[in-house]
Amino acid sequence: MSLRSPLASVLNHGAARDGVSHWWAQRVTALALAPLCVWLTASLLRLPMRNHAIVTAWIGGGLHPVLLVLITLTATWHAWLGLQVVIEDYVPQARYRVTLLLLSTFTNALLAATGTYAVLRIALRAGA
Amino acid sequence: MVERPLSPHLTVYKWAYTMTLSILHRISGLALFCALIVLIGWLMAAARGPYAYQDAMATLASAPFKCLIAIALLALCFHFCNGLRHLAWDVGLGFERAQARRSALIVVIAALLAFAVCVYYLAGSGAGAA
């Protein structure tokens, strides 16, 4: 006998109550991150990193700000989902688990906002 | 509260090296989260101007940070390769035990090769992330 309501089984919502959306978002962000990570790593490894003028010109140049904002948002989203799974698996005590989940949420939100702001600040100054 | 078995109850299985890759995926993911904090701190330093950037680069170029950057690159290479393996599983490829073991080996070799290329550029450019 199943305790799930007919509506719940139709909507495919399991014990997590949100169906496959978490799983799916993790895969979609992974797929997006794959080319972005190759691009960013290859670029940073070839840049003269000590030269502020060259580095900021690169960050603000062409489509780079768009890609950098994309990778910031996608990476923090992916990290948020991944950290959530790890925390839920390994922290059984509810108060520590909830504390860590909140910490992860706020940290990733802060990282997303900071990264976006930094890229835009460089890009808009370079364009002005 | 119902006493259900919790999801990763690992102790009942005989250890196989594919399981090592599985846990390394999570560990490298955590390492990459730390690297993400450094990366965004670096972006913010660049946005604040040349002096803040110089200070940040002085820290990042120190020996302990160079080690951490190398570890982050290794974590990235591994998480990237093993992530592709996970995506292949998600579309239904390579579920057989022999295939999973072979792909595990390929992931380790590919990650080490990619890491070697990264270190080559890191050292060769003279600038490097560090």
Side-chain angles (χ1 to χ4, degrees), chain B residues 15-84:
Chain B
W15 196 261
Y17 71 85
T18 44
M19 293 162 75
T20 311
L21 263 76
S22 173
I23 191 64
L24 277 178
H25 197 71
R26 292 190 157 190
I27 293 170
S28 59
L30 292 178
L32 287 173
F33 173 66
C34 301
L36 187 61
I37 296 175
V38 174
L39 180 73
I40 286 171
W42 171 80
L43 272 175
M44 200 57 216
R48 284 172 57 209
Y51 298 110
Y53 188 74
Q54 250 172 10
D55 288 347
M57 285 310 289
T59 311
L60 289 175
S62 66
F65 255 99
K66 274 184 179 167
C67 286
L68 289 177
I69 288 164
I71 291 170
L73 279 171
L74 182 60
L76 178 67
C77 294
F78 175 78
H79 201 86
F80 179 87
C81 295
N82 204 43
L84 293 182

Short mmCIF file of all heavy atoms in Angstrom, two decimals, chain B residues 15-84:
data_model
loop_
_atom_site.label_atom_id
_atom_site.label_comp_id
_atom_site.label_asym_id
_atom_site.label_seq_id
_atom_site.Cartn_x
_atom_site.Cartn_y
_atom_site.Cartn_z
N TRP B 15 35.16 -2.70 -0.59
CA TRP B 15 35.68 -1.49 -1.23
C TRP B 15 36.17 -1.79 -2.65
O TRP B 15 36.90 -2.74 -2.88
CB TRP B 15 36.82 -0.89 -0.39
CG TRP B 15 37.10 0.52 -0.81
CD1 TRP B 15 38.10 0.94 -1.63
CD2 TRP B 15 36.35 1.68 -0.47
NE1 TRP B 15 38.02 2.29 -1.82
CE2 TRP B 15 36.95 2.78 -1.13
CE3 TRP B 15 35.21 1.92 0.32
CZ2 TRP B 15 36.47 4.08 -1.01
CZ3 TRP B 15 34.74 3.22 0.43
CH2 TRP B 15 35.37 4.28 -0.23
N ALA B 16 35.75 -0.98 -3.60
CA ALA B 16 36.23 -1.08 -4.97
C ALA B 16 36.76 0.28 -5.39
O ALA B 16 36.32 1.29 -4.86
CB ALA B 16 35.10 -1.49 -5.90
N TYR B 17 37.72 0.32 -6.33
CA TYR B 17 38.34 1.62 -6.61
C TYR B 17 37.39 2.59 -7.28
O TYR B 17 37.60 3.80 -7.24
CB TYR B 17 39.66 1.48 -7.37
CG TYR B 17 39.56 1.04 -8.81
CD1 TYR B 17 39.35 1.98 -9.82
CD2 TYR B 17 39.73 -0.28 -9.16
CE1 TYR B 17 39.28 1.59 -11.15
CE2 TYR B 17 39.66 -0.68 -10.48
CZ TYR B 17 39.42 0.26 -11.47
OH TYR B 17 39.35 -0.12 -12.78
N THR B 18 36.31 2.08 -7.89
CA THR B 18 35.30 2.99 -8.43
C THR B 18 34.66 3.81 -7.31
O THR B 18 34.24 4.94 -7.51
CB THR B 18 34.22 2.21 -9.18
OG1 THR B 18 33.86 1.07 -8.39
CG2 THR B 18 34.69 1.74 -10.53
N MET B 19 34.61 3.22 -6.09
CA MET B 19 34.05 3.95 -4.95
C MET B 19 34.99 5.07 -4.52
O MET B 19 34.53 6.13 -4.05
CB MET B 19 33.80 2.99 -3.78
CG MET B 19 32.70 1.99 -4.07
SD MET B 19 32.75 0.57 -2.98
CE MET B 19 32.11 1.27 -1.47
N THR B 20 36.29 4.84 -4.67
CA THR B 20 37.25 5.90 -4.36
C THR B 20 37.00 7.11 -5.26
O THR B 20 37.02 8.26 -4.82
CB THR B 20 38.69 5.39 -4.56
OG1 THR B 20 38.81 4.15 -3.88
CG2 THR B 20 39.70 6.36 -4.02
N LEU B 21 36.75 6.85 -6.56
CA LEU B 21 36.47 7.95 -7.48
C LEU B 21 35.20 8.68 -7.08
O LEU B 21 35.11 9.90 -7.19
CB LEU B 21 36.34 7.42 -8.92
CG LEU B 21 37.61 7.54 -9.75
CD1 LEU B 21 38.60 6.48 -9.35
CD2 LEU B 21 37.30 7.50 -11.21
N SER B 22 34.22 7.89 -6.62
CA SER B 22 32.95 8.49 -6.24
C SER B 22 33.13 9.49 -5.09
O SER B 22 32.64 10.62 -5.15
CB SER B 22 31.97 7.39 -5.84
OG SER B 22 30.79 7.93 -5.32
N ILE B 23 33.90 9.08 -4.08
CA ILE B 23 34.09 9.99 -2.94
C ILE B 23 35.02 11.13 -3.33
O ILE B 23 34.86 12.27 -2.88
CB ILE B 23 34.57 9.23 -1.67
CG1 ILE B 23 34.50 10.13 -0.44
CG2 ILE B 23 35.96 8.67 -1.81
CD1 ILE B 23 33.11 10.57 -0.06
N LEU B 24 36.00 10.84 -4.22
CA LEU B 24 36.89 11.91 -4.68
C LEU B 24 36.13 12.99 -5.45
O LEU B 24 36.50 14.16 -5.45
CB LEU B 24 38.00 11.34 -5.57
CG LEU B 24 39.22 10.76 -4.85
CD1 LEU B 24 40.20 10.19 -5.87
CD2 LEU B 24 39.92 11.82 -4.01
N HIS B 25 35.03 12.58 -6.11
CA HIS B 25 34.23 13.56 -6.83
C HIS B 25 33.65 14.59 -5.85
O HIS B 25 33.65 15.78 -6.13
CB HIS B 25 33.10 12.85 -7.60
CG HIS B 25 32.49 13.72 -8.66
ND1 HIS B 25 33.16 14.04 -9.81
CD2 HIS B 25 31.28 14.34 -8.73
CE1 HIS B 25 32.39 14.82 -10.54
NE2 HIS B 25 31.24 15.02 -9.92
N ARG B 26 33.20 14.09 -4.70
CA ARG B 26 32.65 15.00 -3.69
C ARG B 26 33.75 15.84 -3.06
O ARG B 26 33.58 17.05 -2.85
CB ARG B 26 31.92 14.20 -2.62
CG ARG B 26 30.69 13.56 -3.18
CD ARG B 26 29.80 12.96 -2.13
NE ARG B 26 28.44 12.88 -2.68
CZ ARG B 26 27.37 12.58 -1.95
NH1 ARG B 26 27.50 12.31 -0.68
NH2 ARG B 26 26.19 12.54 -2.52
N ILE B 27 34.90 15.19 -2.74
CA ILE B 27 36.00 15.94 -2.11
C ILE B 27 36.52 17.02 -3.06
O ILE B 27 36.73 18.17 -2.66
CB ILE B 27 37.12 14.97 -1.69
CG1 ILE B 27 36.61 14.06 -0.56
CG2 ILE B 27 38.36 15.72 -1.24
CD1 ILE B 27 37.52 12.91 -0.20
N SER B 28 36.70 16.65 -4.35
CA SER B 28 37.19 17.66 -5.30
C SER B 28 36.15 18.75 -5.49
O SER B 28 36.50 19.92 -5.70
CB SER B 28 37.55 16.99 -6.63
OG SER B 28 36.44 16.33 -7.19
N GLY B 29 34.87 18.41 -5.40
CA GLY B 29 33.82 19.42 -5.49
C GLY B 29 33.92 20.43 -4.36
O GLY B 29 33.82 21.64 -4.56
N LEU B 30 34.18 19.92 -3.15
CA LEU B 30 34.35 20.81 -2.00
C LEU B 30 35.58 21.69 -2.18
O LEU B 30 35.55 22.89 -1.90
CB LEU B 30 34.48 20.00 -0.70
CG LEU B 30 33.24 19.25 -0.21
CD1 LEU B 30 33.56 18.46 1.04
CD2 LEU B 30 32.10 20.21 0.05
N ALA B 31 36.67 21.10 -2.71
CA ALA B 31 37.89 21.87 -2.95
C ALA B 31 37.62 22.97 -3.98
O ALA B 31 38.11 24.10 -3.84
CB ALA B 31 39.00 20.95 -3.45
N LEU B 32 36.81 22.65 -4.99
CA LEU B 32 36.52 23.64 -6.03
C LEU B 32 35.64 24.76 -5.49
O LEU B 32 35.72 25.89 -5.97
CB LEU B 32 35.86 22.97 -7.24
CG LEU B 32 36.82 22.12 -8.06
CD1 LEU B 32 36.08 21.35 -9.13
CD2 LEU B 32 37.89 22.99 -8.69
N PHE B 33 34.81 24.45 -4.50
CA PHE B 33 34.03 25.51 -3.87
C PHE B 33 34.97 26.51 -3.19
O PHE B 33 34.81 27.73 -3.32
CB PHE B 33 33.05 24.92 -2.86
CG PHE B 33 32.32 25.95 -2.04
CD1 PHE B 33 31.43 26.82 -2.64
CD2 PHE B 33 32.56 26.07 -0.68
CE1 PHE B 33 30.77 27.78 -1.89
CE2 PHE B 33 31.90 27.03 0.07
CZ PHE B 33 31.00 27.88 -0.54
N CYS B 34 36.01 25.99 -2.50
CA CYS B 34 37.01 26.86 -1.89
C CYS B 34 37.74 27.67 -2.96
O CYS B 34 38.00 28.87 -2.79
CB CYS B 34 38.01 26.05 -1.08
SG CYS B 34 37.24 25.10 0.24
N ALA B 35 38.06 27.00 -4.09
CA ALA B 35 38.74 27.69 -5.18
C ALA B 35 37.86 28.79 -5.76
O ALA B 35 38.36 29.85 -6.16
CB ALA B 35 39.13 26.69 -6.27
N LEU B 36 36.56 28.56 -5.78
CA LEU B 36 35.62 29.56 -6.29
C LEU B 36 35.65 30.82 -5.43
O LEU B 36 35.59 31.94 -5.94
CB LEU B 36 34.21 28.96 -6.33
CG LEU B 36 33.10 29.77 -6.99
CD1 LEU B 36 33.41 30.03 -8.45
CD2 LEU B 36 31.77 29.05 -6.85
N ILE B 37 35.77 30.63 -4.11
CA ILE B 37 35.86 31.77 -3.20
C ILE B 37 37.12 32.59 -3.53
O ILE B 37 37.07 33.82 -3.62
CB ILE B 37 35.89 31.30 -1.73
CG1 ILE B 37 34.57 30.60 -1.39
CG2 ILE B 37 36.16 32.46 -0.78
CD1 ILE B 37 34.54 29.98 0.00
N VAL B 38 38.25 31.87 -3.76
CA VAL B 38 39.50 32.56 -4.09
C VAL B 38 39.37 33.28 -5.43
O VAL B 38 39.78 34.44 -5.58
CB VAL B 38 40.67 31.56 -4.13
CG1 VAL B 38 41.95 32.24 -4.60
CG2 VAL B 38 40.88 30.94 -2.75
N LEU B 39 38.76 32.61 -6.41
CA LEU B 39 38.62 33.20 -7.75
C LEU B 39 37.81 34.49 -7.69
O LEU B 39 38.16 35.51 -8.30
CB LEU B 39 37.93 32.19 -8.68
CG LEU B 39 37.72 32.67 -10.12
CD1 LEU B 39 39.02 32.70 -10.89
CD2 LEU B 39 36.71 31.79 -10.85
N ILE B 40 36.71 34.47 -6.92
CA ILE B 40 35.86 35.66 -6.85
C ILE B 40 36.53 36.74 -6.01
O ILE B 40 36.41 37.93 -6.32
CB ILE B 40 34.44 35.26 -6.36
CG1 ILE B 40 33.75 34.56 -7.53
CG2 ILE B 40 33.65 36.46 -5.89
CD1 ILE B 40 32.45 33.91 -7.22
N GLY B 41 37.32 36.34 -5.01
CA GLY B 41 38.12 37.30 -4.27
C GLY B 41 39.14 37.97 -5.19
O GLY B 41 39.36 39.19 -5.13
N TRP B 42 39.72 37.18 -6.09
CA TRP B 42 40.68 37.70 -7.06
C TRP B 42 40.00 38.69 -8.02
O TRP B 42 40.54 39.78 -8.30
CB TRP B 42 41.29 36.51 -7.84
CG TRP B 42 42.14 36.91 -9.00
CD1 TRP B 42 43.44 37.33 -8.97
CD2 TRP B 42 41.75 36.91 -10.38
NE1 TRP B 42 43.87 37.60 -10.24
CE2 TRP B 42 42.86 37.35 -11.11
CE3 TRP B 42 40.58 36.58 -11.06
CZ2 TRP B 42 42.83 37.47 -12.51
CZ3 TRP B 42 40.54 36.71 -12.44
CH2 TRP B 42 41.65 37.14 -13.15
N LEU B 43 38.81 38.35 -8.51
CA LEU B 43 38.05 39.24 -9.39
C LEU B 43 37.75 40.56 -8.68
O LEU B 43 37.88 41.64 -9.26
CB LEU B 43 36.72 38.59 -9.79
CG LEU B 43 36.69 37.70 -11.03
CD1 LEU B 43 35.32 37.06 -11.16
CD2 LEU B 43 37.03 38.49 -12.28
N MET B 44 37.36 40.45 -7.41
CA MET B 44 37.02 41.64 -6.63
C MET B 44 38.26 42.52 -6.44
O MET B 44 38.16 43.75 -6.54
CB MET B 44 36.42 41.21 -5.29
CG MET B 44 35.60 42.25 -4.59
SD MET B 44 34.24 42.87 -5.58
CE MET B 44 34.27 44.59 -5.06
N ALA B 45 39.40 41.89 -6.20
CA ALA B 45 40.65 42.65 -6.04
C ALA B 45 40.98 43.39 -7.34
O ALA B 45 41.38 44.55 -7.32
CB ALA B 45 41.78 41.71 -5.65
N ALA B 46 40.77 42.72 -8.48
CA ALA B 46 41.03 43.35 -9.77
C ALA B 46 40.09 44.54 -9.98
O ALA B 46 40.49 45.57 -10.53
CB ALA B 46 40.86 42.33 -10.90
N ALA B 47 38.84 44.40 -9.51
CA ALA B 47 37.86 45.48 -9.68
C ALA B 47 38.19 46.67 -8.81
O ALA B 47 37.88 47.81 -9.15
CB ALA B 47 36.45 44.96 -9.35
N ARG B 48 38.84 46.41 -7.65
CA ARG B 48 39.09 47.51 -6.71
C ARG B 48 40.26 48.39 -7.15
O ARG B 48 40.41 49.49 -6.64
CB ARG B 48 39.32 46.97 -5.30
CG ARG B 48 38.01 46.52 -4.64
CD ARG B 48 38.28 45.82 -3.33
NE ARG B 48 39.04 46.64 -2.42
CZ ARG B 48 39.87 46.17 -1.49
NH1 ARG B 48 40.05 44.88 -1.39
NH2 ARG B 48 40.50 46.98 -0.69
N GLY B 49 41.08 47.88 -8.07
CA GLY B 49 42.15 48.74 -8.57
C GLY B 49 43.53 48.12 -8.45
O GLY B 49 43.69 47.06 -7.85
N PRO B 50 44.54 48.76 -9.07
CA PRO B 50 45.88 48.16 -9.16
C PRO B 50 46.53 47.88 -7.81
O PRO B 50 47.23 46.88 -7.68
CB PRO B 50 46.69 49.20 -9.94
CG PRO B 50 45.82 50.37 -10.15
CD PRO B 50 44.42 50.03 -9.78
N TYR B 51 46.28 48.74 -6.80
CA TYR B 51 46.98 48.53 -5.52
C TYR B 51 46.40 47.33 -4.78
O TYR B 51 47.14 46.47 -4.29
CB TYR B 51 46.91 49.80 -4.67
CG TYR B 51 47.59 50.96 -5.35
CD1 TYR B 51 46.86 52.03 -5.85
CD2 TYR B 51 48.97 50.94 -5.53
CE1 TYR B 51 47.50 53.08 -6.51
CE2 TYR B 51 49.61 51.98 -6.19
CZ TYR B 51 48.87 53.05 -6.68
OH TYR B 51 49.50 54.07 -7.34
N ALA B 52 45.07 47.26 -4.72
CA ALA B 52 44.42 46.11 -4.09
C ALA B 52 44.80 44.84 -4.84
O ALA B 52 45.03 43.78 -4.23
CB ALA B 52 42.90 46.29 -4.10
N TYR B 53 44.91 44.95 -6.18
CA TYR B 53 45.26 43.79 -6.98
C TYR B 53 46.67 43.31 -6.69
O TYR B 53 46.92 42.11 -6.55
CB TYR B 53 45.11 44.12 -8.47
CG TYR B 53 45.26 42.91 -9.36
CD1 TYR B 53 44.25 41.96 -9.44
CD2 TYR B 53 46.42 42.70 -10.11
CE1 TYR B 53 44.38 40.84 -10.24
CE2 TYR B 53 46.56 41.59 -10.91
CZ TYR B 53 45.54 40.66 -10.97
OH TYR B 53 45.67 39.55 -11.75
N GLN B 54 47.59 44.29 -6.55
CA GLN B 54 48.98 43.92 -6.23
C GLN B 54 49.07 43.18 -4.90
O GLN B 54 49.78 42.18 -4.79
CB GLN B 54 49.84 45.19 -6.15
CG GLN B 54 50.81 45.31 -7.31
CD GLN B 54 51.51 46.65 -7.31
OE1 GLN B 54 51.41 47.42 -6.35
NE2 GLN B 54 52.20 46.94 -8.39
N ASP B 55 48.35 43.69 -3.92
CA ASP B 55 48.34 43.03 -2.60
C ASP B 55 47.80 41.60 -2.71
O ASP B 55 48.38 40.66 -2.16
CB ASP B 55 47.45 43.82 -1.62
CG ASP B 55 48.10 45.14 -1.21
OD1 ASP B 55 49.31 45.28 -1.48
OD2 ASP B 55 47.39 45.98 -0.63
N ALA B 56 46.69 41.45 -3.45
CA ALA B 56 46.10 40.12 -3.61
C ALA B 56 47.07 39.18 -4.31
O ALA B 56 47.22 38.02 -3.91
CB ALA B 56 44.79 40.23 -4.39
N MET B 57 47.74 39.69 -5.35
CA MET B 57 48.66 38.83 -6.09
C MET B 57 49.88 38.46 -5.26
O MET B 57 50.44 37.37 -5.42
CB MET B 57 49.10 39.50 -7.40
CG MET B 57 48.04 39.50 -8.48
SD MET B 57 47.29 37.89 -8.80
CE MET B 57 48.64 37.03 -9.59
N ALA B 58 50.30 39.36 -4.37
CA ALA B 58 51.41 39.04 -3.47
C ALA B 58 51.05 37.84 -2.59
O ALA B 58 51.86 36.94 -2.37
CB ALA B 58 51.76 40.25 -2.62
N THR B 59 49.79 37.84 -2.10
CA THR B 59 49.33 36.71 -1.28
C THR B 59 49.25 35.45 -2.13
O THR B 59 49.71 34.38 -1.74
CB THR B 59 47.95 37.02 -0.68
OG1 THR B 59 48.00 38.31 -0.10
CG2 THR B 59 47.56 35.99 0.36
N LEU B 60 48.64 35.57 -3.32
CA LEU B 60 48.42 34.39 -4.16
C LEU B 60 49.73 33.80 -4.66
O LEU B 60 49.80 32.62 -4.98
CB LEU B 60 47.53 34.76 -5.36
CG LEU B 60 46.06 35.04 -5.03
CD1 LEU B 60 45.32 35.52 -6.28
CD2 LEU B 60 45.39 33.80 -4.48
N ALA B 61 50.78 34.63 -4.75
CA ALA B 61 52.07 34.14 -5.26
C ALA B 61 52.91 33.50 -4.16
O ALA B 61 53.97 32.94 -4.44
CB ALA B 61 52.84 35.28 -5.91
N SER B 62 52.45 33.58 -2.89
CA SER B 62 53.22 32.97 -1.81
C SER B 62 53.18 31.44 -1.93
O SER B 62 52.26 30.89 -2.54
CB SER B 62 52.65 33.41 -0.46
OG SER B 62 51.36 32.88 -0.29
N ALA B 63 54.22 30.81 -1.36
CA ALA B 63 54.39 29.36 -1.54
C ALA B 63 53.15 28.54 -1.12
O ALA B 63 52.71 27.67 -1.88
CB ALA B 63 55.63 28.89 -0.80
N PRO B 64 52.56 28.80 0.06
CA PRO B 64 51.39 27.98 0.43
C PRO B 64 50.23 28.13 -0.56
O PRO B 64 49.58 27.14 -0.90
CB PRO B 64 50.99 28.53 1.80
CG PRO B 64 51.99 29.51 2.22
CD PRO B 64 52.94 29.74 1.12
N PHE B 65 50.01 29.37 -1.04
CA PHE B 65 48.92 29.58 -1.99
C PHE B 65 49.20 28.92 -3.33
O PHE B 65 48.29 28.42 -4.00
CB PHE B 65 48.63 31.07 -2.18
CG PHE B 65 47.39 31.51 -1.46
CD1 PHE B 65 47.46 32.12 -0.23
CD2 PHE B 65 46.14 31.27 -2.02
CE1 PHE B 65 46.31 32.49 0.45
CE2 PHE B 65 44.98 31.64 -1.35
CZ PHE B 65 45.07 32.26 -0.11
N LYS B 66 50.50 28.91 -3.72
CA LYS B 66 50.84 28.22 -4.97
C LYS B 66 50.48 26.75 -4.88
O LYS B 66 49.95 26.16 -5.83
CB LYS B 66 52.34 28.37 -5.26
CG LYS B 66 52.67 29.63 -6.02
CD LYS B 66 54.15 29.66 -6.36
CE LYS B 66 54.49 30.91 -7.16
NZ LYS B 66 55.93 31.12 -7.24
N CYS B 67 50.76 26.14 -3.72
CA CYS B 67 50.39 24.73 -3.50
C CYS B 67 48.88 24.56 -3.60
O CYS B 67 48.38 23.64 -4.25
CB CYS B 67 50.86 24.26 -2.13
SG CYS B 67 52.62 24.00 -2.04
N LEU B 68 48.14 25.49 -2.95
CA LEU B 68 46.69 25.39 -2.96
C LEU B 68 46.14 25.53 -4.39
O LEU B 68 45.18 24.86 -4.76
CB LEU B 68 46.08 26.47 -2.05
CG LEU B 68 46.27 26.25 -0.55
CD1 LEU B 68 45.68 27.40 0.24
CD2 LEU B 68 45.62 24.93 -0.12
N ILE B 69 46.77 26.43 -5.18
CA ILE B 69 46.31 26.61 -6.56
C ILE B 69 46.57 25.35 -7.37
O ILE B 69 45.72 24.92 -8.16
CB ILE B 69 46.98 27.85 -7.19
CG1 ILE B 69 46.39 29.12 -6.56
CG2 ILE B 69 46.80 27.88 -8.70
CD1 ILE B 69 47.19 30.37 -6.79
N ALA B 70 47.73 24.71 -7.14
CA ALA B 70 48.02 23.45 -7.82
C ALA B 70 47.00 22.39 -7.43
O ALA B 70 46.49 21.65 -8.29
CB ALA B 70 49.44 22.99 -7.49
N ILE B 71 46.65 22.32 -6.14
CA ILE B 71 45.65 21.34 -5.68
C ILE B 71 44.29 21.64 -6.31
O ILE B 71 43.58 20.73 -6.77
CB ILE B 71 45.55 21.36 -4.14
CG1 ILE B 71 46.83 20.80 -3.52
CG2 ILE B 71 44.34 20.56 -3.65
CD1 ILE B 71 46.93 20.99 -2.01
N ALA B 72 43.94 22.94 -6.39
CA ALA B 72 42.66 23.32 -7.00
C ALA B 72 42.63 22.91 -8.47
O ALA B 72 41.60 22.44 -8.97
CB ALA B 72 42.45 24.82 -6.86
N LEU B 73 43.77 23.07 -9.17
CA LEU B 73 43.82 22.67 -10.59
C LEU B 73 43.65 21.16 -10.73
O LEU B 73 42.95 20.68 -11.63
CB LEU B 73 45.15 23.11 -11.21
CG LEU B 73 45.20 24.58 -11.65
CD1 LEU B 73 46.63 24.95 -12.05
CD2 LEU B 73 44.25 24.85 -12.80
N LEU B 74 44.29 20.42 -9.83
CA LEU B 74 44.15 18.96 -9.86
C LEU B 74 42.69 18.57 -9.60
O LEU B 74 42.12 17.71 -10.29
CB LEU B 74 45.07 18.33 -8.81
CG LEU B 74 45.08 16.80 -8.73
CD1 LEU B 74 45.52 16.20 -10.07
CD2 LEU B 74 46.00 16.31 -7.62
N ALA B 75 42.08 19.24 -8.61
CA ALA B 75 40.68 18.97 -8.30
C ALA B 75 39.79 19.29 -9.51
O ALA B 75 38.87 18.54 -9.83
CB ALA B 75 40.23 19.80 -7.09
N LEU B 76 40.11 20.40 -10.19
CA LEU B 76 39.32 20.80 -11.36
C LEU B 76 39.44 19.75 -12.47
O LEU B 76 38.43 19.34 -13.05
CB LEU B 76 39.79 22.17 -11.87
CG LEU B 76 39.08 22.67 -13.13
CD1 LEU B 76 37.63 22.97 -12.84
CD2 LEU B 76 39.76 23.92 -13.68
N CYS B 77 40.68 19.31 -12.75
CA CYS B 77 40.89 18.31 -13.80
C CYS B 77 40.11 17.03 -13.49
O CYS B 77 39.45 16.47 -14.37
CB CYS B 77 42.37 18.00 -13.95
SG CYS B 77 43.33 19.39 -14.55
N PHE B 78 40.18 16.60 -12.23
CA PHE B 78 39.49 15.37 -11.86
C PHE B 78 37.98 15.53 -11.91
O PHE B 78 37.27 14.72 -12.51
CB PHE B 78 39.92 14.90 -10.46
CG PHE B 78 39.14 13.70 -10.02
CD1 PHE B 78 39.45 12.44 -10.51
CD2 PHE B 78 38.06 13.83 -9.16
CE1 PHE B 78 38.70 11.34 -10.14
CE2 PHE B 78 37.31 12.73 -8.78
CZ PHE B 78 37.63 11.49 -9.28
N HIS B 79 37.48 16.61 -11.28
CA HIS B 79 36.03 16.82 -11.21
C HIS B 79 35.45 16.99 -12.61
O HIS B 79 34.35 16.51 -12.89
CB HIS B 79 35.76 18.06 -10.37
CG HIS B 79 34.37 18.13 -9.79
ND1 HIS B 79 34.03 17.53 -8.61
CD2 HIS B 79 33.24 18.73 -10.25
CE1 HIS B 79 32.73 17.75 -8.36
NE2 HIS B 79 32.23 18.47 -9.34
N PHE B 80 36.21 17.64 -13.50
CA PHE B 80 35.79 17.83 -14.88
C PHE B 80 35.66 16.48 -15.60
O PHE B 80 34.61 16.16 -16.16
CB PHE B 80 36.81 18.72 -15.60
CG PHE B 80 36.49 18.97 -17.05
CD1 PHE B 80 35.66 20.01 -17.42
CD2 PHE B 80 37.03 18.16 -18.04
CE1 PHE B 80 35.37 20.24 -18.75
CE2 PHE B 80 36.74 18.38 -19.38
CZ PHE B 80 35.91 19.42 -19.73
N CYS B 81 36.73 15.67 -15.55
CA CYS B 81 36.72 14.38 -16.26
C CYS B 81 35.66 13.43 -15.66
O CYS B 81 34.90 12.80 -16.39
CB CYS B 81 38.09 13.72 -16.19
SG CYS B 81 39.36 14.64 -17.06
N ASN B 82 35.64 13.35 -14.33
CA ASN B 82 34.68 12.45 -13.71
C ASN B 82 33.24 12.97 -13.88
O ASN B 82 32.30 12.18 -13.96
CB ASN B 82 35.00 12.27 -12.22
CG ASN B 82 34.46 10.98 -11.66
OD1 ASN B 82 34.55 9.93 -12.31
ND2 ASN B 82 33.86 11.04 -10.49
N GLY B 83 33.10 14.29 -13.98
CA GLY B 83 31.78 14.88 -14.24
C GLY B 83 31.26 14.47 -15.60
O GLY B 83 30.07 14.16 -15.76
N LEU B 84 32.16 14.45 -16.60
CA LEU B 84 31.76 13.98 -17.93
C LEU B 84 31.32 12.52 -17.86
O LEU B 84 30.37 12.11 -18.55
CB LEU B 84 32.91 14.15 -18.93
CG LEU B 84 33.31 15.59 -19.27
CD1 LEU B 84 34.44 15.58 -20.30
CD2 LEU B 84 32.13 16.39 -19.81
#
